[in-house]
Amino acid sequence: MVIPLRHFLLALGFLAVGVGGGTVLAVATLPGLAGLARLHGLLVGWIAVTIMGAMTQFVPVWSGVAIHSRRLAVAQLWLVTAGLIGFGAALLAGAFAWLPVVGALMLAGIWVFVYNVGRTIVRARPFDFTERHFALALACFGLVAPLGVLLAAGYTTPVFESVPVNRFEMHGSHATLALFGALLATVVGALFQLTKMFTQAEPDRVDDRLLALEQLCFPAGLAALVVGRGLTIAPIARVGAVVLLVGLAAFAVVVARLLAGATVERSPMLARYWLVVAALVAWIALAAPTWWTAPLASESLFGYPGSRPLLLFGVFGLVVIGSLYHIVPFIIWIERYSDRLGFERVPMIDDLYDDRLERADFWLLLVGFAGLSVAPLVDLPAVVPTASTLLVTTGVGVFIANMLLTIHRHGPDGIAGVLASMFESDEDASATAGSEPDVDASPDR
């Protein structure tokens, strides 16, 4: 259990740095390529590292197979963390010659993650909806990393002179694979499973047809969009964009129907998932005309030029935050309280975090994200995005504090124990995680 907690704890650190950096950039100027460093800190450091920890824990749970190797799960975190810290430092310092070196560390960490979870999930047969999307995400992670190293090397070496694509085209494919393949495919696969769990609702025939449509459109549209952008063929990119958005729209309808048919009382996760659906629908509506007219333009990489907050914060951010409000307490509850059930009174999973802080960060993030999302679309005073950034920063700080307090109060050894475990040897980490062997070839689900 401590291995995913390590991922989440370090991811929260990257989140604090990324959001804090955004606040500084809103009122001042930082050296070097600060904006690019912040973007990688949020996408790789926060969202991708959280995904790596979550997949390491929950792919075995969902698929009914043991993780291939705990030692590799430990190694992936250190490689990606060291590489990302070096990458951000090099961008800020303008030391571009170091980018390929630290980028290679991230590449190694991501490929270790892909291999380890891939060896785990391949034993699950047949694949369900979530596993198919996770497999797609792993493939995209595996492709994104080497493209990123090539782009990093391109700052100092003319690596694109001998290949038929230029830096701009490579960047378009890299960013598309990262955003809509590695990250969004994971979010879609996990969100469907978590929504069913939290609503206790099951898809009906209409939902099944929409899910079948999504499973056809999402990977096909993604592939066409990546190829079209990489080869600068606008018709292919345009068709891919439309097909991808159709698949996402079908998925948004399914999640909304599951939320509307919830058989349980309102929970923080359900409220946040409603906002995710609203943000996803709004982003699709804005992206559709933009990608139809200019699917290759750099300003339309995220969809509509002003819709980046909707995608990064409204979809990715809220899914991750809402999910961590369950995952972190769940891991701690299993570790500390599960064996006491039936012998003494134990808290519920949702009792482990402070619900007052949860409500506070919910409203701070809601108002802040709304301001950041609306400001680029309408003519508002300059103070609105600045104030919204401050609200988001405060809300993220409250969320991080709530997670840290949960680990401190209920973790078997608190935050100090998780931090101390980061410096254990691989053998110690394996012993801490349990007595099972690293590789379990059992095909049982």
Side-chain angles (χ1 to χ4, degrees):
M1 295 294 177
V2 76
I3 294 175
L5 276 181
R6 294 175 187 172
H7 285 73
F8 301 149
L9 197 58
L10 287 175
L12 290 176
F14 283 118
L15 171 61
V17 172
V19 173
T23 304
V24 174
L25 286 172
V27 297
T29 302
L30 293 178
L33 300 179
L36 186 60
R38 173 178 177 264
L39 184 63
H40 281 80
L42 288 173
L43 292 181
V44 180
W46 176 36
I47 297 177
V49 170
T50 299
I51 285 173
M52 290 164 61
M55 277 201 187
T56 300
Q57 174 63 29
F58 285 100
V59 164
V61 173
W62 283 330
S63 301
V65 293
I67 191 69
H68 173 68
S69 171
R70 296 189 188 95
R71 292 180 178 87
L72 293 180
V74 173
Q76 72 191 22
L77 177 61
W78 285 118
L79 288 168
V80 171
T81 299
L84 182 57
I85 291 174
F87 191 80
L91 287 175
L92 289 172
F96 299 140
W98 283 95
L99 290 179
V101 178
V102 293
L105 288 177
M106 282 196 287
L107 168 65
I110 290 172
W111 273 3
V112 167
F113 159 69
V114 170
Y115 172 78
N116 195 29
V117 178
R119 283 288 302 269
T120 304
I121 201 172
V122 76
R123 302 200 305 270
R125 288 291 189 274
F127 280 179
D128 63 13
F129 180 90
T130 296
E131 290 159 346
R132 292 188 192 102
H133 284 76
F134 282 1
L136 173 63
L138 289 173
C140 292
F141 269 113
L143 293 173
V144 162
L147 293 182
V149 173
L150 285 176
L151 288 169
Y155 279 101
T156 55
T157 306
V159 295
F160 298 101
E161 288 186 354
S162 58
V163 294
V165 295
N166 58 37
R167 182 179 180 82
F168 170 78
E169 296 161 351
M170 183 71 73
H171 175 264
S173 294
H174 169 74
T176 304
L177 275 171
L179 288 170
F180 307 110
L183 302 186
L184 191 55
T186 305
V187 165
V188 169
L191 184 58
F192 174 69
Q193 191 77 22
L194 292 169
T195 303
K196 288 202 304 177
M197 181 193 307
F198 293 132
T199 61
Q200 293 297 298
E202 289 294 327
D204 58 18
R205 290 183 179 178
V206 174
D207 296 324
D208 289 338
R209 293 191 181 97
L210 290 172
L211 291 174
L213 176 64
E214 188 277 340
Q215 291 176 89
L216 288 174
C217 291
F218 186 93
L222 174 65
L225 185 59
V226 170
V227 171
R229 284 179 167 175
L231 300 179
T232 61
I233 303 176
I236 294 179
R238 182 176 294 112
V239 171
V242 171
V243 173
L244 175 66
L245 293 177
V246 168
L248 290 175
F251 175 72
V253 172
V254 172
V255 175
R257 284 169 56 87
L258 290 174
L259 291 170
T263 59
V264 297
E265 296 181 359
R266 177 198 175 277
S267 68
M269 277 65 70
L270 296 188
R272 293 175 193 272
Y273 289 172
W274 271 117
L275 293 178
V276 171
V277 171
L280 181 58
V281 170
W283 177 80
I284 291 171
L286 292 170
T290 302
W291 278 355
W292 179 260
T293 56
L296 303 180
S298 59
E299 60 270 16
S300 65
L301 182 63
F302 290 82
Y304 181 78
S307 65
R308 179 186 291 192
L310 278 173
L311 182 63
L312 296 186
F313 296 121
V315 179
F316 294 157
L318 289 178
V319 168
V320 171
I321 290 174
S323 301
L324 284 180
Y325 262 116
H326 177 80
I327 294 173
V328 171
F330 171 79
I331 290 175
I332 294 173
W333 190 91
I334 290 292
E335 183 74 10
R336 181 169 182 182
Y337 297 110
S338 61
D339 58 349
R340 304 183 189 180
L341 195 63
F343 298 96
E344 60 182 85
R345 293 185 62 182
V346 298
M348 301 290 288
I349 292 175
D350 292 344
D351 295 332
L352 300 189
Y353 61 81
D354 191 313
D355 58 350
R356 294 168 299 178
L357 292 179
E358 184 277 326
R359 288 193 297 270
D361 85 58
F362 175 83
W363 288 107
L364 286 167
L365 292 174
L366 174 60
V367 176
F369 289 161
L372 290 176
S373 300
V374 173
L377 306 179
V378 299
D379 188 16
L380 294 176
V383 70
V384 172
T386 302
S388 299
T389 300
L390 292 174
L391 287 174
V392 168
T393 302
T394 305
V396 167
V398 173
F399 162 69
I400 293 174
N402 208 359
M403 291 294 96
L404 295 180
L405 284 172
T406 300
I407 298 172
H408 173 70
R409 291 170 177 170
H410 300 282
D413 298 305
I415 296 175
V418 177
L419 291 174
S421 72
M422 292 182 178
F423 302 99
E424 294 176 347
S425 66
D426 290 345
E427 290 79 7
D428 293 335
S430 181
T432 301
S435 58
E436 300 175 37
D438 270 356
V439 180
D440 180 0
S442 171
D444 296 337
R445 297 196 55 160

